[in-house]
Amino acid sequence: MGITPQELELLMHEVEQEDPIDFADLPFDEQELRALVASHLCEMADAMERFSEEDRRLTLLAVAAKLVLENLVLHVQLLRRHGLPLNEQTSALLSRLRKGDSGGSGDS
């Protein structure tokens, strides 16, 4: 792979500057969690080296989509558990889903 886990950790940290992660009161060190995730993702990428470029892209897109979905579900569950309203973005997304609009153009 063209990036080391340490370089990926730095990139993750840079992205978090714009969109911080709320680690709340997790009993884990934030940096250790970043290192674990970066190492795991680099291992996944290395395992895909024999994949075609298209298969790598599709696999990474599927993994990213699954993580975004999981994050959305956890976010909504957390807000509901605490009786908090959804933020504007999440509310708009869920409203689109209720209407059956995936937001795509259908031109795939």
Side-chain angles (χ1 to χ4, degrees):
M1 160 120 212
I3 188 169
T4 67
Q6 294 77 20
E7 292 168 331
L8 185 54
E9 282 180 61
L10 289 173
L11 287 174
M12 291 166 64
H13 187 69
E14 286 180 30
V15 170
E16 287 178 52
Q17 299 307 304
E18 288 294 318
D19 187 16
I21 295 173
D22 179 5
F23 288 90
D25 57 353
L26 290 178
F28 306 104
D29 179 75
E30 294 176 22
Q31 192 55 40
E32 287 178 10
L33 288 174
R34 269 187 214 93
L36 179 68
V37 168
S39 178
H40 179 66
L41 287 173
C42 286
E43 287 172 9
M44 281 179 56
D46 288 343
M48 290 188 289
E49 283 297 317
R50 64 184 184 282
F51 288 18
S52 71
E53 187 64 32
E54 180 68 11
D55 285 346
R56 266 195 304 267
R57 260 195 296 266
L58 289 173
T59 301
L60 292 173
L61 185 58
V63 168
K66 188 262 186 193
L67 292 174
V68 169
L69 175 60
E70 185 174 47
N71 186 284
L72 173 65
V73 168
L74 292 172
H75 180 72
V76 171
Q77 287 175 342
L78 184 63
L79 291 174
R80 283 184 172 174
R81 184 174 299 133
H82 293 286
L84 298 171
L86 300 177
N87 66 29
E88 190 175 317
Q89 243 181 342
T90 304
S91 185
L93 176 63
L94 293 176
S95 177
R96 281 185 14 214
L97 291 174
R98 285 185 197 105
K99 294 176 186 172
D101 176 15
S102 65
S105 64
D107 294 344
S108 301

